[in-house]
Amino acid sequence: MSCNITSGFTLDCNDANGGLDKIFIANGPVESITQSSGTITAITVAGSALTPSDFFDFEVPRQTSSFTETINVSQENGTVFYDQALTMIFNKMEAAKRDQILLMAQSTDMVVVFKDNNGKYFSVGVERGAFMTAGSSLTGVAYGDRNGYELTISGMEEAPSFEVTGSIVEA
């Protein structure tokens, strides 16, 4: 097995934006993915390729939600895995949101894709299943404080997050 580096990186333009625009969640588990050069072009669940109608859209307020992927390497054990954490913020505590959060917390195999503020789509836990690992409901104290939810959906993958073709989740 070759583990040799094949190219370097050049300094890029200062034209990227932080944060997330939208999250898309479908029921899993994923049976297979089709990918080319690190980009997923199809996701199969229950024998069928997922389409935008299979995903539920979760809109988040500007500048509130994020994705972090931590690379975990053990030289001693010869292992590497990628710990993915998608933090989502939803304003306003209400019954409909509570009910969906309950279902997300119970699920062990969600199919999760997020769109960042650069218009790119990326996967979370697409090969081993995404699952909720933390959440909180908060009322705030002052009138200007958030009343709502903060959720973390995680994945533990053997490879870094894939870029995803946007037409899988959005028409």
Side-chain angles (χ1 to χ4, degrees):
M1 177 175 150
S2 175
C3 300
N4 294 329
I5 298 169
T6 60
S7 68
F9 305 135
T10 58
L11 186 60
D12 208 349
C13 299
N14 293 330
D15 61 355
N17 292 296
L20 303 184
D21 181 38
K22 194 184 270 189
I23 294 107
F24 307 89
I25 302 177
N27 294 305
V30 171
E31 290 175 0
S32 66
I33 61 170
T34 304
Q35 64 97 10
S36 174
S37 301
T39 299
I40 293 176
T41 57
I43 302 171
T44 302
V45 171
S48 299
L50 294 180
T51 66
S53 65
D54 295 312
F55 284 89
F56 298 96
D57 297 3
F58 292 82
E59 296 179 355
V60 293
R62 289 183 199 106
Q63 301 186 65
T64 62
S65 301
S66 66
F67 173 73
T68 303
E69 182 170 66
T70 305
I71 305 167
N72 296 279
V73 179
S74 171
Q75 293 295 321
E76 302 81 9
N77 297 323
T79 59
V80 62
F81 70 94
Y82 298 80
D83 190 10
Q84 302 169 340
L86 176 70
T87 302
M88 306 180 299
I89 301 294
F90 302 106
N91 290 333
K92 197 184 294 181
M93 292 173 59
E94 54 192 350
K97 288 177 186 162
R98 174 240 179 242
D99 292 346
Q100 290 308 307
I101 291 168
L102 173 63
L103 294 173
M104 285 190 282
Q106 293 172 340
S107 179
T108 59
D109 284 313
M110 292 182 284
V111 182
V112 179
V113 174
F114 66 87
K115 179 181 180 185
D116 72 11
N117 283 327
N118 300 297
K120 294 189 176 273
Y121 300 80
F122 294 92
S123 65
V124 179
V126 74
E127 292 187 297
R128 293 183 174 164
F131 48 93
M132 187 181 296
T133 54
S136 60
S137 307
L138 54 146
T139 62
V141 176
Y143 289 133
D145 291 348
R146 171 174 292 109
N147 173 292
Y149 305 93
E150 180 175 328
L151 310 176
T152 302
I153 293 181
S154 298
M156 294 182 79
E157 301 286 86
E158 67 179 69
S161 179
F162 289 95
E163 193 167 332
V164 177
T165 302
S167 61
I168 294 174
V169 296
E170 281 192 301

